Structure formats: structure tokens, C-alpha cells
């Protein structure tokens, strides 16, 4: 059975306070506006704050804030790859690692296991791979590290966006930016860009069509590079959900583009007087 | 279009093994490691045996072969042990300084020297330094070639060459991997089957099926591969042949052009994808063997 | 996953073949390879199954242990998955090589079963907050030849079906000490309902088309694949894209598209997944018993519209010719002729061939013990399961119906 060998947990008997709080079970209100004022069934992604080039040591870095979800991503490379296979002769490798800070979730590291982080890292890798021109970097490897500082829902989707920004900031050649968007299906309506409370599994009512879906999308090329769904949903719901996520990505696109342009402009030398 | 899913309980495999066609008169002498073959000291030791206090003992599980004064034990399942002159089909695993390493289902990877291939542009070109750098453009990792064994190194590795127009890089087709002991040694291993496909029966157990090339000469220096789509009828023939080969090898029938052809003819009554079902496989193999016995006595 | 190397020309050949709907081994893009399922293969487990799909072999063992329920869900038991890619499968898995693949498979399994309807976890609870059953599902890859997800999900479903959890009695002893008693009768056990357990279908995108049940060769030519876990009800519990390529949204929609069932397809409507059914309960009559080949047992049909495309359409080969004794093993009429009279009494899967009435089945009941073949089985469990108290199934039923090729 996989165990979490990477963290030092508190003593076995320690428990999180949240179990002792006598609060009634909060289930999602089934209609009306959401807790943060957004609407159901509308493509209402949270406004994001994005900045590139924060970490000076890394080749490229990016920081994203969406609501209370805060993530930072650093890119190191391209550098010589440690393992040499024949496949490396033709194209480079991408390594992605996504971690959660122990204080990032309401309960200290207890609901997320090491294997889940690996799963998310794999998803980030699969989403970024189609976008990076790896054949331009033979025998090299590029490391992408995402750290979630505070998790208030949609961590994976924003991690993907952040990672692609960091790659662009690092000057790595890419076919397109990768944007992530996630959606939470609650019965007949959906909630786009869910918060942590809206997302967490224990709040799932039992009924039809309960689940969540994360899509990572390349907007200019109109390609889906990553797709992951959870829970039980019918096919029409799934396809509608994918379309909604794509729309959400399109909404994010201009903001991300702008942030990147700003970063480049800031870093570019002033035009020479001639 | 309907999807076919075939699920079942495991079938009880019948124990009646098909009788080998080349059964010698009398029972075969099968030994296991440790069995004493003979205590007569007049015999020479061959492969698969060792001398244990004047007793000739087998060191592999297999069949005893006796040629005059030489006794050796041929193992029933073995890696390919190449001899000079064998035709092999291999896959390039590594590109090294002046040679390629080829995987041929033997103990060690075989070697193909740069000087042993026909470069495009004719045979008589000298190898210049440039050729070494552009080796990868001729043969890459993953490419398939047909070659002949030129010699055998002391440690058992094979040295291959493709110095004839019939050898070289292989184009579109299907590779089937079977046990080397099932390939019959023949005069030629390249056959154009009348059913519309061609076959290369490599001695090392790699069998290559490909559509019969048209009017253009077969090997244009051996390195030009056409990537044109193959017609559907050719594909069906090739798929059918592939399944027949797998069926024959599952039942330990010796493979050569005639047996493959008979199997193909017998299987025409079944759909291509059904050939791999256990009961259909048995039926086809039995009918093939009958046909072989009829025609060859 | 374990990879094979292919030359460029071979890849082109495979690509063009798939485009023309004729794969290398003659299958069409939506055909599965030959599959064999056995249950109850390991006697030390509470449930086990072995699935062979072409050359891929998967062994699943389930052990039930008593433990404390998760604090977040005190009235439910839970399941723990673990997939082990042993070095037996392929040399690439030697040492730690198979660990990554094993983790990926494990995580996907968690995701697939992470919903309230697949397995009734509430039935695994013994006393809320105190005791519950934990099911450890351990998957072992014996041989790897592509399409691991499908094989594993089928094996898990079969193993869950085979799982027998002993009945537990909780009594309040003196001083309020709870005592736990396991019933002595080894046949007195709780079975899980696997009606909603999803099965995974992997679709590999090769060129412009997608194929089902890809071999390692075809996988080497594909850029990405889509994994979907589908339930008999037609809903999808987990969808995931794997692989380093990207997919067009249109192709994803195509893959998930509901395919209306061809009205010209006689005689069976298509059922989207496996159904392990309790035995002779007269079916909900949706199966048209036109050619009298509808099995007496269940056939849970979704409304004809909801046919998830590439779900496992299980088809029973109408073995009209099979005699009553061979109804037991009616894989296909030809196969029954090859089978020697089954000596062993092992029942894991009972295939019911057309039975015009269930009564015809009941008479040969005594023959049942003689008619099952399994490679490994514990005789005790088998014979017991064959003499059913009414609620217990005669054995497992796995319905497969072969659709007449269109």
C-alpha cells in the first residue's frame, strides 16, 4: 500500500480541529449564487493575478493568484539530461513536479497523500508535453516545479496555467500557451472554477451527475492536452463540461497574454536611439 | 458498426499435441540436465553436454542428436545460435562509431559494420569520413534489416552483412516473432507467396511479411523505403498470414513456405480475426498438418 | 508502459491500416482480443480473479480486513488499491522501473471508484465509527501486452463479484465491551453487488482514428489515449487523457459520443457493460427474445439510446446448437465440441445459453458441479456455491452475448 514517505507527519494521535467543530454538514446550496458571489451555470472564472519573473534564480518563473488559490512555478533548464536513452537523441525531456505546502489546505497535509501529488504531477506533465517543442532540445531536460502555497480550489487547473507561463518566461520554445480550467458538476448545474469547499469530495451529494472535470487547453491550436474527470457523470454532461472548460480557458487567455507581454516588455532593453 | 467482444472462461486446452511432421522413426531421445546419455568414451562431446567422470551427461533439456561420433543435445527452446550463411531479420538497437548493433534474438547483439552495407549510390563507393557522421540517416534505432551472417565471433556474437541487393533495410510490413527452432533451414528464405504477399523467414525466428513489390526493382540500394499506403486487399493477406504464423507456432509446427501457404489456404474459410481463437487455431493447424502429410508423404 | 520499438515504415503501415479499419491482426478498430476470465483462483483471498486479454494477464486478489472507518465517513467502509508491476511482466519493470506505472494505475483506480455509486460502501460498515470492512484490492500484472487498464478493471469487477465477506455479529458483552463474532459457517457471507462497478475502456488515438484494445505496437504509433470508466447505467466515472500528445476537442467528443444502436441489429440490443448477475431471475423483459436466444438471466438494458460507444458490448454467442449439458460452457458452439466432459466442479462463471425457460436449467442442476472447469480452484468453495440457498447465485454469471455482426 503506498504510504507517504516524504512528509513528517505530526504524532499519530493528533487530529485536525475541524473534526470537533460542531458545524452542521455544509452541502452545496443547490441554487442561487455561490458563496463568493459568482453565478452557477455561467462561465464565471475567478479573476486572476499573474506575475512572471519573480524568482531570480530560476530560468523562468510565474506566480498566479485566483481568489485565494496561490501558486508559484519555477522552470529550470534546459540542461544536460542525467539519464541517457536512445530517445533522448531526438528530443528533450520534461519533468514536472507539483507539491502542496503543508499549510496550504485547511487540514494539515492529511487529506492529500503522496500518491495524489504524483498523480497531479503526471497530469501537469501530460498537459505541458504537447505544447513544448521538445525536438528543439535534444539530450536536454527541462524541470518544472509547481508549489501550491494556498489551495482554495482548482489547484491543478491553475498549476497548468502557471507552469506554461513560467515556461514562456524561461524562453522555452512552445507551440502555444497551455491554459487550465476546472469545473464542478453538481446535478444539473455546474460551477466553474470551484473553490475548495465546492470541490471537496465529502460535500458531494448523492445523486446524478456529481463530479469534477479539469481540462487543459491550447487556445490557438484548439487542442486539448489534458483531461481528467472524477465522479460519476453522463456523457452529455461530460461533453458539455468540456466545452464549458474550453470557454473558461478562452476567457483567461487575454489576461495571461497581457501578463506575459508586460513581463517581456519589462525585461527587454530600451529601444536603442539611432 | 458493431464491436465484438469475446469473453469466456478459460478453455481446457486439449492435450493432444500435434504430431511433429518430421518425427523420426522410433521415439525421440529427450533428456534433461543431469541425464547420462552414454558411458561409452568413444564419442565426441558436442554442445549441450559435459563430461562427468567418463559419463557423457546432458546439460540442457532437449533432444539428443547423434552424428557419427558426435553427440550433442539440442535444446527445445533456445536463443538463436547463428551459423555462417544464415539469413536473419534484425532490429537496430544502437548506432555506434562505425557500426550498428542489431538485435537478432540471440544471446548477444549482432554487429553490422559500416563497411558491410551497401550505401545508396552503388556498391563501389569508398567509405569516407562523412559516412560515419551520417550513419543515422541510413539506419536508425528501431529500423529493421534483413542480412546474412558473415561470421561468428569467439564469444558467439554474429557479424552481419548486407552486401547483396536482396538484403537491406525493410520497408512497410509486419514482423512476427517466433521461436528460432521452428524455422526450417532451406535453400532460400525469401519467398513470394502466390496469395499476394512476400515473406522473409529469418533463421533467428523473426519473420517479415510485406506486400510483394511491384514492377520497380526490389532493392534500390536497400535504403529507400516507400511510404505509400498499401492496398486493403494486400493488408488482409498479410494479416491473415500473420495470424496463421502465430497459430502454427503455437502448435509447434515447422515453418517453411509450403506449410505457411497451406495454412493460409485452409484458413480462408475463417475471418482473419477469428484465427487467433483457440479452437479455430487448433482446427486450422490440424487441417494444415493433414494437408502436409497428404502432399509430402 | 512497456514499449516496443518500431521502424518508421512499420509505424506508417500500422497507421494506414488503422485508417482503413484493418489492424495488423485483422481486427477492426473496435474489436477486442480474445479474453478469458477466471475467478476464485487464489484460495487465501476473499475474492480473486484472473483475466487474460490477448497476451496481457492480470491477477487480482481482494482481502477484507476489519478496521476503523475513515473519520470523514464514519458509516462507510473503504477500498484500498495497489497495482504491482512485477518484473515477470517484462524486463523493463525490473527493480523500480515498474513503480511509476504502478502508481499511475493505482491512482486511476482510486479515481474510478471515487464516487458513491460504484461500490456500496455503506454495506461495508459494521458499526458506525467503530468497525468497518476494508477491502484491499491488490492487482498483479503477470504479463504485459498493452491495454492494461481494461484488463485490470475487468479483473477487479470479477474479483469483487467473487468476494465473500464473512458475516459479523457485534454483541454487547458485559461491561459494555463489544464483542465481535465471525460466523462459523464459511459459506455464510455477504456478497457485494457489482451492478454499478465501472469498467475501463481505453481508446488510443492513432492517426485520425481511435482504436480499442491497442497492442503495444499500436500504442507505439499513437500520440495519446483516452481512458474512460463507464458504468452499466451509461455514466462515466472517470475520464482521463494519457500520453504526451494533444487531442482535438472534436475527437474527444467523437470518442464520447453516444452511438445510437443500429435498429437493424438483431436480435440483441446492446448492453454497455458487463453484468454480473444473480441467477435465474426472470429478466426485465427488455431483451427481445426474438430468436429465443435471450438468456434467462438478467440483461439489464439501458434505454436503447444510451449506448456508450465503445463500451464493452458483451455478446452471447447464440449457441443454439448446444445441448443442455453444454449450456454450461457455451462459449461458442464449436468450442463445446472440443471440451471434454468437464471433470472438475468449479463454478465461477456460468454462461447461460439460450434458455427458453429457466426451468430447463433447473433440472440439470445436479450436473452443474461437474461442469465447470477452472484451472485453480478450491473445491470446497465451488461445491458449496453450487448448491445454492435460494438467494445465492448458482455461481457467478457473466453474461456475454455476441452480437450478430453487422
Amino acid at each position: 500500500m503506498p504510504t507517504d514517505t516524504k512528509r513528517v507527519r505530526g504524532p499519530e494521535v493528533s487530529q485536525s480541529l475541524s473534526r470537533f467543530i460542531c458545524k452542521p454538514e455544509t452541502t452545496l446550496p443547490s441554487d442561487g449564487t455561490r458563496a463568493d458571489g459568482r453565478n452557477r451555470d455561467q462561465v464565471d472564472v475567478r479573476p486572476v493575478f499573474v506575475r512572471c519573473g519573480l524568482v531570480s534564480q530560476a530560468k523562468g518563473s510565474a506566480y498566479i493568484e485566483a481568489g485565494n488559490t496561490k501558486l508559484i512555478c519555477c522552470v529550470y533548464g534546459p540542461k544536460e539530461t542525467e539519464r541517457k536513452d536512445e530517445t533522448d537523441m531526438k528530443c528533450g525531456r520534461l519533468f514536472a513536479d507539483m507539491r502542496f505546502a503543508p499549510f496550504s489546505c485547511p487540514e494539515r497535509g492529511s487529506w492529500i497523500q503522496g500518491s495524489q501529488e504524483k498523480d497531479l504531477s503526471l497530469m501537469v506533465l501530460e498537459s505541458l508535453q504537447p505544447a513544448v517543442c521538445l525536438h528543439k532540445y535534444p539530450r536536454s531536460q527541462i524541470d518544472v516545479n509547481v508549489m501550491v502555497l494556498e489551495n482554495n480550489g482548482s489547484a491543478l487547473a491553475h498549476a497548468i496555467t502557471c507552469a506554461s507561463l513560467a515556461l514562456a518566461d524561461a524562453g522555452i520554445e512552445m507551440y502555444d500557451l497551455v491554459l487550465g480550467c476546472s469545473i464542478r458538476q453538481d446535478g444539473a448545474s455546474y460551477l466553474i472554477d470551484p473553490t475548495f469547499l465546492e470541490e471537496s469530495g465529502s460535500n458531494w451529494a448523492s445523486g446524478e451527475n456529481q463530479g469534477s472535470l479539469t481540462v487543459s487547453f491550447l487556445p490557438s491550436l484548439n487542442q486539448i492536452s489534458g483531461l481528467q474527470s472524477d465522479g460519476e457523470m453522463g456523457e452529455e454532461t461530460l461533453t458539455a463540461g468540456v466545452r464549458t472548460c474550453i470557454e473558461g480557458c478562452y476567457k483567461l487567455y487575454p489576461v495571461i497574454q497581457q501578463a506575459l507581454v508586460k513581463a517581456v516588455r519589462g525585461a527587454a532593453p530600451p529601444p536603442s536611439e539611432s | 458498426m458493431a464491436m465484438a467482444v469475446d469473453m469466456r472462461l478459460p478453455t481446457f486446452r486439449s492435450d493432444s499435441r500435434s504430431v511433429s511432421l518430421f518425427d523420426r522413426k522410433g521415439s525421440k531421445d529427450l533428456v534433461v540436465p543431469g541425464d547420462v546419455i552414454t558411458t561409452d568414451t568413444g564419442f565426441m562431446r558436442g554442445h549441450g553436454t559435459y563430461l562427468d567422470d567418463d559419463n557423457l551427461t546432458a546439460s540442457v533439456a532437449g533432444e539428443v542428436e547423434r552424428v557419427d561420433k558426435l553427440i550433442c543435445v539440442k535444446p527445445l527452446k533456445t536463443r538463436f545460435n547463428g551459423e555462417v550463411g544464415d539469413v536473419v531479420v534484425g532490429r537496430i538497437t544502437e548506432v555506434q562509431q562505425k557500426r550498428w548493433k542489431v538485435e537478432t534474438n540471440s544471446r548477444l547483439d549482432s554487429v553490422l559494420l559500416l563497411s558491410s552495407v551497401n550505401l545508396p549510390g552503388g556498391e563501389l563507393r569508398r567509405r569516407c569520413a562523412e559516412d560515419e557522421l551520417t550513419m543515422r540517416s541510413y539506419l536508425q534505432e528501431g529500423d529493421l534489416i534483413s542480412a546474412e551472417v558473415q561470421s561468428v565471433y569467439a564469444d558467439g556474437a554474429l557479424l552481419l552483412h548486407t552486401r547483396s541487393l536482396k538484403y537491406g533495410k525493410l520497408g512497410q510490413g509486419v514482423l512476427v516473432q517466433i521461436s528460432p527452432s521452428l524455422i526450417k533451414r532451406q535453400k532460400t528464405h525469401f519467398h513470394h507467396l502466390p496469395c499476394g504477399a512476400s515473406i522473409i523467414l529469418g533463421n533467428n525466428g523473426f519473420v517479415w511479411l510485406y506486400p510483394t513489390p511491384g514492377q520497380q526493382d526490389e532493392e534500390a540500394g536497400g535504403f529507400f523505403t516507400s511510404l505509400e499506403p498499401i492496398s486493403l486487399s494486400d493488408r488482409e493477406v498479410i494479416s491473415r498470414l500473420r495470424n496463421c504464423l502465430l497459430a502454427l507456432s503455437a502448435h509447434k509446427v515447422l515453418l517453411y513456405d509450403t506449410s505457411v501457404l497451406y495454412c493460409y489456404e485452409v484458413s480462408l474459410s475463417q475471418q482473419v480475426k477469428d484465427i487467433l481463437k483457440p479452437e479455430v487455431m487448433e482446427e486450422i493447424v490440424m487441417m494444415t498438418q493433414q494437408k502436409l502429410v497428404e502432399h509430402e508423404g | 508502459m512497456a514499449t516496443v520499438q518500431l521502424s518508421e515504415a512499420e509505424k506508417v503501415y500500422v497507421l494506414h491500416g488503422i485508417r482503413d479499419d484493418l489492424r495488423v491482426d485483422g481486427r477492426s478498430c473496435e474489436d477486442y482480443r480474445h479474453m478469458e476470465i477466471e475467478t476464485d483462483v487464489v484460495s487465501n483471498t476473499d475474492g480473486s480473479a484472473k483475466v487474460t486479454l490477448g497476451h496481457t494477464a492480470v491477477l487480482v486478489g481482494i482481502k477484507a480486513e476489519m478496521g476503523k472507518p475513515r473519520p470523514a465517513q464514519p458509516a462507510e467502509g473503504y477500498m484500498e488499491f495497489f497495482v504491482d508491476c512485477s518484473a515477470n511482466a517484462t524486463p523493463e519493470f525490473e527493480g523500480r522501473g515498474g513503480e511509476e506505472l504502478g502508481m499511475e494505475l493505482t491512482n486511476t483506480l482510486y479515481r474510478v471508484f471515487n464516487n458513491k455509486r460504484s461500490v456500496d460502501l455503506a454495506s461495508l460498515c459494521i458499526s458506525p465509527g467503530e468497525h468497518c470492512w476494508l477491502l484491499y484490492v491488490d492487482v498483479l500484472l503477470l504479463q504485459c501486452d498493452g491495454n492494461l487498464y481494461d484488463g485490470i478493471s475487468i479483473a477487479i469487477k470479477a474479483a469483487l463479484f467473487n468476494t465473500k465477506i464473512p458475516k459479523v455479529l457485534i454483541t454487547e458483552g458485559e461491561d459494555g465491551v463489544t464483542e465481535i463474532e465471525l460466523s462459523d459457517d464459511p459459506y455464510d457471507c455477504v456478497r457485494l453487488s457489482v451492478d454499478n462497478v465501472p469498467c475501463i475502456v481505453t481508446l488510443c488515438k492513432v492517426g485520425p482514428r481511435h482504436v480499442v484494445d491497442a497492442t503495444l505496437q499500436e500504442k507505439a504509433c499513437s500520440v495519446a489515449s483516452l481512458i474512460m470508466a463507464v458504468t452499466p447505467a451509461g455514466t462515466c466515472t472517470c475520464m482521463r487523457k494519457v500520453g504526451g500528445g494533444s487531442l482535438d476537442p472534436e475527437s474527444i467528443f467523437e470518442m464520447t459520443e453516444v452511438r445510437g444502436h443500429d435498429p437493424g441489429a438483431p436480435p440483441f440490443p446492446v448492453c454497455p457493460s458487463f453484468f454480473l448477475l444473480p441467477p435465474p431471475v426472470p429478466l426485465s423483459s427488455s431483451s427481445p427474445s426474438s430468436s429465443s436466444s435471450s438468456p434467462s438471466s438478467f440483461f439489464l438494458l439501458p434505454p436503447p439510446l444510451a449506448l456508450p460507444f465503445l463500451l464493452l458490448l458483451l455478446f452471447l454467442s447464440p449457441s443454439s446448437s448446444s445441448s443442455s449439458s453444454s449450456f454450461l460452457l457455451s462459449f461458442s458452439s464449436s468450442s463445446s465440441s472440443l471440451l471434454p466432459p468437464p471433470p472438475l466442479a468449479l463454478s465461477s462463471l456460468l454462461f447461460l445459453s439460450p434458455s427458453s425457460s429457466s426451468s430447463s436449467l433447473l433440472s440439470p442442476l445436479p450436473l452443474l458441479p461437474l461442469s465447470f472447469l477452472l484451472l485453480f480452484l478450491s473445491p470446497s468453495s465451488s461445491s458449496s456455491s453450487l448448491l445454492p440457498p435460494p438467494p445465492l447465485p448458482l455461481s457467478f454469471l457473466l453474461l456475454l452475448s455476441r452480437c450478430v455482426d453487422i
Side-chain angles (χ1 to χ4, degrees), chain C residues 94-124:
Chain C
E94 213 177 8
R96 309 202 61 176
E99 210 177 278
E100 265 182 40
L101 180 61
M103 293 259 50
E104 198 186 317
L105 292 166
T106 311
N107 287 329
T108 310
L109 286 175
Y110 272 116
R111 205 174 282 282
V112 165
F113 283 90
N114 180 21
N115 63 76
K116 292 208 185 311
R117 310 228 289 199
S118 301
V119 176
D120 188 13
L121 295 173
S123 66
L124 294 176

Side-chain angles (χ1 to χ4, degrees), chain B residues 171-245:
Chain B
Q172 289 196 54
V174 176
L175 183 73
V176 185
Q177 295 184 343
I178 50 188
S179 167
S181 40
L182 292 174
I183 309 268
K184 183 173 171 200
R185 277 183 194 279
Q186 288 189 291
K187 242 177 27 186
T188 167
H189 288 257
F190 292 77
H191 304 277
H192 292 294
L193 299 174
C195 48
S198 307
I199 189 171
I200 303 181
L201 288 153
N203 281 101
N204 60 338
F206 283 12
V207 179
W208 177 248
L209 296 161
Y210 60 108
T212 311
Q215 292 303 89
Q216 95 271 24
D217 46 355
E218 288 207 347
E219 321 293 334
F223 290 103
F224 171 69
T225 48
S226 119
L227 295 178
E228 293 293 315
I230 315 259
S231 71
L232 198 61
S233 50
D234 281 344
R235 277 182 199 279
E236 244 192 79
V237 171
I238 291 181
S239 298
R240 192 178 281 278
L241 279 172
R242 174 199 180 266
N243 289 352
C244 288
L245 281 171

Side-chain angles (χ1 to χ4, degrees), chain A residues 1 19 115 119 122 126 129-130 204 208 222-225 227-233 235 238-239 243, chain C residues 80 104 107 111 114-117 234-241 243-249 253 256 258:
Chain A
M1 204 173 33
R19 251 171 250 148
S115 58
D119 194 30
L122 186 63
E126 281 175 357
Q129 241 178 342
W204 285 0
E208 286 280 309
N222 196 32
Q223 295 270 315
I224 290 182
S225 65
L227 179 72
Q228 177 167 279
S229 91
D230 216 346
E232 191 178 345
M233 297 183 270
E235 307 94 56
L238 268 176
T239 42
R243 291 210 164 92
Chain C
E80 294 272 355
E104 198 186 317
N107 287 329
R111 205 174 282 282
N114 180 21
N115 63 76
K116 292 208 185 311
R117 310 228 289 199
T235 56
C236 168
T237 61
C238 168
M239 184 158 85
R240 224 192 127 119
K241 168 227 160 233
S246 64
L247 294 169
D248 214 63
F253 297 147
T256 57
V258 168

Side-chain angles (χ1 to χ4, degrees), chain B residues 1 3-12 91 142 144 171-172 174 229 235-236 239 242-243 273 279, chain C residues 5 7 10 13 16-17 24-25 30-32 34-38 259 274 311 313 315 338 340 400 402:
Chain B
M1 182 161 34
M3 190 168 80
V5 173
D6 172 34
M7 306 186 138
R8 48 178 78 184
L9 275 180
T11 49
F12 185 68
R91 202 185 277 283
L144 282 170
Q172 289 196 54
V174 176
R235 277 182 199 279
E236 244 192 79
S239 298
R242 174 199 180 266
N243 289 352
K273 58 188 172 188
E279 61 281 357
Chain C
Q5 270 195 319
S7 69
E10 277 177 284
Y13 182 80
H16 287 152
V24 164
D25 51 2
E30 295 176 358
D31 283 339
Y32 270 82
H34 177 69
M35 201 176 326
E36 289 184 1
I37 308 178
E38 294 174 59
R259 220 166 41 125
F274 292 95
L311 290 186
L313 308 182
F315 304 111
L338 292 179
L400 308 180
R402 161 153 302 159

